[in-house]
Amino acid sequence: MRTKLILLIFVCTAAALIFPGIPNTDSLKSVFRLTDEPHEVIVRGMSGSALTINISFGDEEVEQLIRELKAPYPLLLLDMDWADRFPEIVEMIKKRNIPTGLLGHAGSEYEQNTPLLIGQLEKYEELFGSKPLWFRTSDEFFPTLYAMLFGIQK
């Protein structure tokens, strides 16, 4: 009996060391970084998740990506400087009705250059005919001023 108890304790201890535990999946992460270049992000909300892709460089690769995408489409966050350089790809995105948003510069740039966001919004409206429903800074840092303006909770 005593040998069985010692053996059972040994097996349980070994199992605990080999399998340290199940990771806690209860906590929600607002953003999960998949890769650094090109920047892809999975955003988790209260009732689901969405794949987002930041596009600020690339031409042939992006064009191939757009051609090969199948529904449900990811959210493409587009840098307006990139969109100016590749209007034919922007037209392809519009024809396929792929959801888009505005990809801004680094968050600190908005603290020193207030008209920057306004100019980017105007450019987006010019290209897509509507205001963007989504906005993200390239470094995912939102300055305090813009957090207050857009009602973003930190």
Side-chain angles (χ1 to χ4, degrees):
M1 178 74 177
R2 190 177 202 157
T3 308
K4 289 181 184 179
L5 182 61
I6 292 173
L7 184 61
L8 180 64
I9 292 173
F10 177 74
V11 169
C12 290
T13 305
L17 292 174
I18 294 172
F19 305 106
I22 299 171
N24 184 4
T25 57
D26 291 339
S27 64
L28 291 177
K29 303 276 189 238
S30 61
V31 175
F32 175 77
R33 190 176 305 239
L34 293 174
T35 61
D36 288 333
E37 301 291 333
H39 189 72
E40 299 172 338
V41 176
I42 293 179
V43 180
R44 285 195 57 122
M46 294 304 287
S47 62
S49 59
L51 175 66
T52 65
I53 300 174
N54 293 0
I55 299 179
S56 59
F57 66 91
D59 54 357
E60 294 168 2
E61 301 87 2
V62 175
E63 189 173 348
Q64 181 181 356
L65 171 73
I66 301 303
R67 281 195 185 117
E68 294 174 359
L69 277 178
K70 293 185 171 77
Y73 297 124
L75 171 64
L76 302 180
L77 293 163
L78 306 175
D79 179 84
M80 290 299 99
D81 295 333
W82 174 87
D84 274 343
R85 292 190 305 271
F86 301 102
E88 63 281 351
I89 299 176
V90 171
E91 285 303 314
M92 192 184 314
I93 291 169
K94 288 170 30 178
K95 281 182 184 174
R96 298 205 53 206
N97 291 324
I98 299 173
T100 62
L102 175 59
L103 177 63
H105 295 287
S108 60
E109 291 184 39
Y110 295 101
E111 292 177 342
Q112 300 157 359
N113 187 0
T114 306
L116 178 60
L117 179 62
I118 295 167
Q120 290 174 333
L121 289 170
E122 289 171 352
K123 185 62 183 173
Y124 185 94
E125 285 183 61
E126 179 184 318
L127 289 173
F128 292 97
S130 64
K131 294 182 188 280
L133 295 177
W134 298 278
F135 171 79
R136 176 187 293 149
T137 59
S138 60
D139 61 356
E140 298 172 20
F141 170 74
F142 295 91
T144 307
L145 172 64
Y146 288 97
M148 290 179 354
L149 287 174
F150 292 117
I152 300 168
Q153 300 293 323
K154 288 191 175 188

